[in-house]
Amino acid sequence: MRSAVVHGGLLALALVLAWFVWTGEDSAEPEGILVWSEDVQDLRAITYTSDQRTLRVERRRGEGEDYLWGLETVPAEPPPALPEAGDSVMTRLEAGTARAEEADAREEETRSFPVGQFGEEVFEFFADLRVIRDLGLLEPERLAEYELAEDARTVEVETESAKRQLRLGGTVFAGPERYVLDPSTGVGYVLGGDMIRRLEVGMGAIRERSLHVYSPRDVSQATVRSALGERTMMREETQGVDPLWSSPDAPGEPDQTFGNFMARLDQLTVSDYVPDLAPDSLVFMLRADYRDEEGGSLGFLELYGMPAEGEAGPRYFVRTERTRILGEVFSALGERVEQDLDQVF
């Protein structure tokens, strides 16, 4: 009897240890020293400011869901230097006039764009801010040592109820980590450099690069509509590289032409966003609506064209549920879709 109790106790202990092993990865504490922790959904905006740019990532709401939006402002370049005192009066007058005209033309430029996964990771990072090292209270004479004496570069984190600011300093010797200062407390930290680097690079590092966020395997049906007509086709996974597209009236019978066309749509890539361009100023080419196995909507893709003007060739623009605004696609990819469109209907 006693032996059975002992064995039962050992079995229970083994099960407990196994549970800790299996769940240890999920229950592990996040790495780093916690500075502050906020629910990421409570973050309203993150603003990076330097003499190179002001980059603001803010939370917006539209069509029943929250999303992140970016605004990058690049300051105007300084006008050219004035001529030397020894130059002729006429030269100085002409140079002064040109300088004034150029100064008027150089205005701040603010660009608006959808934020992608890398920007979302920045938001998550600053919601739960963890540092590599706590430097403690920094005396004024030590600020210059860490390049923290001036507010040349800052990150402001805005929540529903408060604003927090970090002053950015230099990099740690032989590493990407950054020195930062919390001006409200005077405490300095060593912070991982990856997220700061994304803010410094600006729009190019955090803009949306994906047209959709769902997996292609989730797509079971697609409806393509254009001025030439409308077609609804079914998508089936195959052992090969490409999926099989077939008519609902002939399941299992591949329509290679339609399959090639859908592959062309998947290859479209945004080269730049143009928030001030309205779809009704362009030529509508097509809209594709994607649905899952239950018929639920996954997303859409709209493609528009701008006819060639003079020596400039045609331009193509795409909008999806993820981009929200028009983005210009590489012309060669857009042209391929246009060439294949009449073969689909």
Side-chain angles (χ1 to χ4, degrees), residues 28-51:
E29 288 292 325
E31 296 182 359
I33 303 169
L34 181 66
V35 178
W36 67 63
S37 182
E38 298 280 354
D39 188 330
V40 69
Q41 296 300 320
D42 291 336
L43 260 65
R44 296 294 92 196
I46 294 176
T47 304
Y48 165 79
T49 304
S50 74
D51 58 355

Side-chain angles (χ1 to χ4, degrees), residues 7-150:
H7 284 295
L10 291 175
L11 177 60
L13 178 61
L15 291 174
V16 171
L17 291 175
W19 182 85
F20 276 111
V21 171
W22 291 335
T23 62
E25 184 176 347
D26 294 335
S27 61
E29 288 292 325
E31 296 182 359
I33 303 169
L34 181 66
V35 178
W36 67 63
S37 182
E38 298 280 354
D39 188 330
V40 69
Q41 296 300 320
D42 291 336
L43 260 65
R44 296 294 92 196
I46 294 176
T47 304
Y48 165 79
T49 304
S50 74
D51 58 355
Q52 299 293 320
R53 65 176 45 82
T54 297
L55 181 67
R56 179 178 174 85
V57 179
E58 60 186 28
R59 185 180 302 281
R60 294 185 177 182
R61 186 166 184 80
E63 299 179 1
E65 63 177 349
D66 288 352
Y67 60 93
L68 298 184
W69 200 258
L71 298 163
E72 182 181 66
T73 301
V74 178
E77 296 180 9
L82 286 170
E84 299 294 332
D87 291 334
S88 68
V89 174
M90 183 59 68
T91 299
R92 297 184 68 188
L93 286 174
E94 291 175 350
T97 301
R99 186 173 188 267
E101 291 175 350
E102 290 191 33
D104 290 339
R106 286 184 168 92
E107 299 178 355
E108 281 192 344
E109 180 185 8
T110 298
R111 304 187 67 182
S112 176
F113 59 93
V115 171
Q117 177 185 345
F118 285 168
E120 293 170 352
E121 291 174 358
V122 171
F123 238 59
E124 294 170 359
F125 176 80
F126 281 102
D128 192 61
L129 184 66
R130 295 178 180 272
V131 297
I132 299 172
R133 183 182 170 195
D134 186 334
L135 301 175
L137 188 65
L138 297 180
E139 299 298 329
E141 58 271 17
R142 296 187 62 193
L143 295 180
E145 176 185 347
Y146 299 119
E147 299 180 31
L148 290 168
E150 299 179 359

Side-chain angles (χ1 to χ4, degrees), residues 109-306:
E109 180 185 8
T110 298
R111 304 187 67 182
S112 176
F113 59 93
V115 171
Q117 177 185 345
F118 285 168
E120 293 170 352
E121 291 174 358
V122 171
F123 238 59
E124 294 170 359
F125 176 80
F126 281 102
D128 192 61
L129 184 66
R130 295 178 180 272
V131 297
I132 299 172
R133 183 182 170 195
D134 186 334
L135 301 175
L137 188 65
L138 297 180
E139 299 298 329
E141 58 271 17
R142 296 187 62 193
L143 295 180
E145 176 185 347
Y146 299 119
E147 299 180 31
L148 290 168
E150 299 179 359
D151 281 326
R153 294 163 295 178
T154 61
V155 174
E156 184 178 82
V157 180
E158 180 181 343
T159 67
E160 291 283 0
S161 58
K163 290 184 179 180
R164 296 186 173 96
Q165 189 183 85
L166 291 176
R167 185 185 301 176
L168 306 182
T171 57
V172 176
F173 178 73
E177 296 80 12
R178 299 291 292 272
Y179 294 113
V180 301
L181 175 74
D182 183 342
S184 67
T185 63
V187 175
Y189 304 100
V190 175
L191 187 65
D194 182 44
M195 298 301 169
I196 298 298
R197 183 58 182 162
R198 294 182 190 183
L199 295 176
E200 290 177 328
V201 171
M203 179 179 69
I206 65 171
R207 73 177 180 87
E208 182 60 75
R209 298 186 178 279
S210 301
L211 297 183
H212 311 284
V213 293
Y214 55 80
S215 169
R217 292 180 176 272
D218 294 336
V219 177
S220 180
Q221 174 183 304
T223 298
V224 179
R225 175 175 58 85
S226 77
L228 301 175
E230 180 177 314
R231 287 187 69 182
T232 296
M233 300 288 281
M234 310 302 294
R235 182 184 185 278
E236 302 175 37
E237 288 292 338
T238 65
Q239 296 297 324
V241 177
D242 298 322
L244 181 153
W245 286 94
S246 62
S247 169
D249 299 329
E253 297 183 12
D255 186 322
Q256 193 61 48
T257 299
F258 191 86
N260 292 339
F261 178 77
M262 297 303 290
R264 300 285 196 214
L265 290 186
D266 291 339
Q267 293 168 2
L268 294 176
T269 304
V270 172
S271 61
D272 195 14
Y273 286 101
V274 281
D276 297 329
L277 188 62
D280 57 11
S281 67
L282 304 170
V283 177
F284 172 76
M285 293 179 60
L286 68 90
R287 175 180 170 111
D289 287 278
Y290 303 93
R291 298 187 179 277
D292 59 22
E293 191 174 1
E294 287 74 35
S297 176
L298 290 172
F300 70 90
L301 181 150
E302 294 174 346
L303 186 65
Y304 299 86
M306 179 183 292

